[in-house]
Amino acid sequence: MTEKEYNECVTLYADKVYRFILKNLRQEEDARDVVQSAFEKLWKNRQSVDAEKSKSYLFTIAYHQMIDHLRKIRRITLRDEFREEARICDKPVLQLKRTLEEALSRLNETQRSLVLLKDYEGYSYGEIGQITGLNESQVKVYLHRARIQLKNYLVSLENLI
Amino acid sequence: MITRDNYQEFFLLYIDNELSAADRLVVEEWVAANPDRQEEWESLLFCRIAPEEEVVFRDKKTLLRTAGDIEADNYADYLDREQLRHTVSTPDTTIVFPDKNSLYKNERRRRVVILYRLLAGAAAVLFAAVTLLLFRRHPAGEPALVKNTPVSPARINKKEPSPVTPATTAALYPKKKPLHPLPARASRLPVDRRLPVGRMLPVGRTEAGQQENKTSDVATIAPEHDPAGGVKTDGLSQAAGLSQSAGLPQSAGLPPAVQQVNIPRELSSFATQALQEDNEKAIATASEPGSTGKSKLRGLFRKVTRTFGKTADRDGEGKREVLISAFQVAVN
């Protein structure tokens, strides 16, 4: 990867990586730190990184740094399922988007990352597997579970309303 | 083939955009044919999350790089070596600690000084105690100690025995009641047999027991009368080169005079030592009232001896050590 190709990566992928990390961390400064670290690592390893795979390389680096960051600060409680006591009926749900964000925040970090990588960037199961270190079947299963959990959350909310 | 048993997986693959265009069309037709699954189908479609385009990374320029940037691996190429050399500080050797002598320590010298102080203090206390006891023991007018001057053998050999007259004997030996009068059987014996040859008495103590003596390391020997009129010493005294005592009166008309000679106890014969011990016991018994001070003095000496002066090789390294009470102090 040349200097020009690296800077093109910044122009093309910085926002995408930042959104992906921000959706997971929900902390702007932390997300910025992770993105800067990811690009710093890309610059150091630019000689060994192919320009065509730079996007996947960036997301991979950013994803793992995000996981390390989450484990360090423990700001997000990892959950496999929605909590039964989760009651948001008393909250004014004005937009489906906000409801969906709420549902997304209740996923664990792996499920959330899979959903975001799929919906935001449109990665295939195989590509997501490369980024996250999972195999394709695992990505498919985890992602489908996450979808069903999101749907159940939305359905339960509609029933309450 | 999509059925009511596997439709959910097709729905998810459709949402994940993992189906081909033909399969997507099949799914849409199946949903249309099954309106009871329409609601579930729509719910899954809502679960797709659209990217938020308004969220951007600010200060994107901070991520841009140029090949000429200073990095961690090439920063040394951009340093001006000469200017960098000026930033190195050198110590000012003119700044010194003003009172360095106060920081020096010598642990060994301090220990020796402490030992000398202890010994000097102990000696002072000992001297004071001895002086006090001795002057308290003897009343005024009497000598504190019976002076016992050692007599050298040469002097004894050279000096001729001075003639002893009754006057001088009476002057020197005033008659007093003897502390231990000789038994009647002993008094009937010839004069020269009343005291056996070589019998030792305390210094100044004659046969009549007219004087007391406080020392025991000096033997008083009754000499035999020489037929020629002189005083003949016993064989033991002759062998020791002590034929005559010096400065003691002798008289042919008196009971055999007692000569005072200095014979160390170690050099005496067993018989002499036995006699000397008998005399010591007799003196101790006779001087019961006055023996308190002596026993005190002896006890004091014993205590001092136990307390100080014991030097021994306490360890295997041959270091000399002085034992002061229960404390062991190294001398060097």
Side-chain angles (χ1 to χ4, degrees):
Chain A
M1 175 186 283
T2 64
E3 173 191 343
K4 182 180 178 181
E5 290 171 339
Y6 167 81
N7 288 328
E8 287 178 357
C9 285
V10 172
T11 304
L12 292 175
Y13 308 131
D15 292 338
K16 296 179 181 296
V17 175
Y18 178 65
R19 289 183 200 123
F20 168 67
I21 299 299
L22 181 62
K23 277 292 181 181
N24 279 279
L25 295 181
R26 287 170 287 179
Q27 296 287 335
E28 288 189 10
E29 293 303 319
D30 292 348
R32 287 177 60 85
D33 291 342
V34 170
V35 172
Q36 286 179 334
S37 297
F39 275 97
E40 180 71 24
K41 197 166 185 177
L42 177 64
W43 173 253
K44 286 182 179 179
N45 299 325
R46 64 185 183 277
Q47 303 298 335
S48 59
V49 175
D50 190 1
E52 296 178 356
K53 299 181 179 178
S54 60
K55 181 184 177 183
S56 174
Y57 184 83
L58 264 177
F59 272 92
T60 303
I61 295 171
Y63 172 78
H64 288 291
Q65 288 190 344
M66 178 194 70
I67 296 297
D68 293 340
H69 183 76
L70 289 174
R71 288 172 179 169
K72 187 186 296 182
I73 63 174
R74 299 291 181 187
R75 287 179 178 167
I76 298 176
T77 304
L78 306 181
R79 286 163 300 211
D80 290 331
E81 299 176 339
F82 290 119
R83 290 179 298 180
E84 291 296 326
E85 65 273 17
R87 300 288 182 181
I88 55 172
C89 57
D90 54 343
K91 294 182 180 177
V93 181
L94 304 176
Q95 298 178 0
L96 178 63
K97 191 176 180 179
R98 288 188 58 184
T99 307
L100 196 58
E101 286 181 0
E102 183 67 22
L104 187 65
S105 67
R106 293 174 181 272
L107 299 175
N108 66 45
E109 59 191 36
T110 302
Q111 290 175 329
R112 186 167 52 250
S113 297
L114 296 179
V115 170
L116 292 174
L117 288 172
K118 185 59 155 177
D119 293 347
Y120 276 17
E121 304 302 327
Y123 281 122
S124 66
Y125 291 156
E127 291 172 332
I128 293 174
Q130 290 179 354
I131 292 172
T132 59
L134 302 172
N135 60 45
E136 191 171 340
S137 299
Q138 286 176 316
V139 171
K140 180 180 176 181
V141 171
Y142 292 165
L143 190 56
H144 287 184
R145 286 180 184 173
R147 297 284 189 196
I148 292 172
Q149 285 184 10
L150 289 175
K151 184 206 66 166
N152 291 337
Y153 181 79
L154 293 176
V155 171
S156 64
L157 191 61
E158 288 177 358
N159 292 336
L160 289 173
I161 292 174
Chain B
M1 183 64 181
I2 183 171
T3 63
R4 295 185 71 88
D5 296 329
N6 62 0
Y7 72 95
Q8 195 172 34
E9 183 176 0
F10 277 90
F11 283 3
L12 293 172
L13 292 173
Y14 182 95
I15 292 169
D16 288 341
N17 201 17
E18 291 288 336
L19 294 176
S20 62
D23 291 337
R24 292 175 67 89
L25 185 59
V26 171
V27 171
E28 291 174 356
E29 290 177 352
W30 189 88
V31 171
N34 297 276
D36 58 328
R37 301 299 174 202
Q38 183 71 32
E39 185 178 2
E40 185 177 1
W41 166 250
E42 291 177 355
S43 298
L44 285 173
L45 289 178
F46 282 125
C47 291
R48 299 173 68 175
I49 300 173
E52 300 174 1
E53 299 294 339
E54 66 276 13
V55 176
V56 295
F57 187 83
R58 292 177 286 111
D59 300 330
K60 202 178 298 181
K61 292 180 181 178
T62 59
L63 301 177
L64 299 175
R65 301 295 179 115
T66 58
D69 288 348
I70 299 177
E71 303 294 338
D73 53 351
N74 64 351
Y75 72 94
D77 299 335
Y78 296 89
L79 293 178
D80 188 344
R81 306 296 176 118
E82 192 60 31
Q83 291 181 354
L84 189 65
R85 200 168 288 120
H86 290 303
T87 62
V88 178
S89 299
T90 56
D92 187 2
T93 56
T94 60
I95 301 174
V96 295
F97 188 73
D99 193 11
K100 200 183 297 181
N101 289 328
S102 64
L103 303 178
Y104 292 124
K105 302 290 183 186
N106 193 342
E107 187 178 0
R108 182 180 178 183
R109 186 172 60 186
R110 173 188 277 178
R111 186 174 60 185
V112 171
V113 168
I114 291 173
L115 178 62
Y116 287 158
R117 288 179 180 174
L118 284 174
L119 291 176
V125 171
L126 177 64
F127 178 76
V130 169
T131 304
L132 184 63
L133 286 174
L134 291 180
F135 281 98
R136 185 179 293 176
R137 166 76 175 80
H138 300 282
E142 292 188 13
L145 281 174
V146 175
K147 190 173 182 179
N148 184 18
T149 56
V151 180
S152 63
R155 185 183 172 189
I156 294 173
N157 291 331
K158 288 178 182 177
K159 195 170 183 179
E160 292 294 330
S162 58
V164 179
T165 62
T168 55
T169 304
L172 290 173
Y173 300 97
K175 286 189 177 179
K176 290 183 181 177
K177 186 179 181 180
L179 294 176
H180 295 280
L182 290 172
R185 187 175 61 86
S187 60
R188 288 196 298 271
L189 290 174
V191 173
D192 54 351
R193 292 183 60 187
R194 288 181 185 172
L195 282 176
V197 175
R199 173 163 184 173
M200 292 176 290
L201 292 175
V203 173
R205 183 183 178 92
T206 62
E207 185 183 13
Q210 294 171 343
Q211 290 185 355
E212 290 184 6
N213 192 3
K214 300 177 180 61
T215 59
S216 60
D217 56 349
V218 177
T220 303
I221 302 172
E224 293 180 352
H225 284 279
D226 194 17
V231 177
K232 188 173 76 177
T233 58
D234 64 311
L236 180 64
S237 300
Q238 287 174 353
L242 304 172
S243 59
Q244 294 174 353
S245 66
L248 281 181
Q250 295 182 1
S251 175
L254 291 174
V258 179
Q259 275 193 325
Q260 183 182 13
V261 293
N262 293 323
I263 300 174
R265 172 173 282 185
E266 294 78 11
L267 296 178
S268 302
S269 64
F270 290 110
T272 306
Q273 291 180 9
L275 292 172
Q276 193 173 1
E277 289 176 0
D278 292 339
N279 277 333
E280 287 174 359
K281 291 178 180 178
I283 291 167
T285 308
S287 57
E288 279 290 330
S291 63
T292 310
K294 186 175 179 180
S295 61
K296 283 183 179 177
L297 194 62
R298 186 177 299 171
L300 179 64
F301 276 120
R302 283 179 182 171
K303 289 181 180 178
V304 171
T305 305
R306 288 175 185 167
T307 306
F308 295 99
K310 288 189 178 178
T311 305
D313 291 337
R314 290 294 181 181
D315 53 3
E317 299 175 2
K319 294 182 178 178
R320 296 181 61 202
E321 294 169 345
V322 173
L323 204 63
I324 299 176
S325 183
F327 300 97
Q328 186 173 337
V329 181
V331 175
N332 50 13

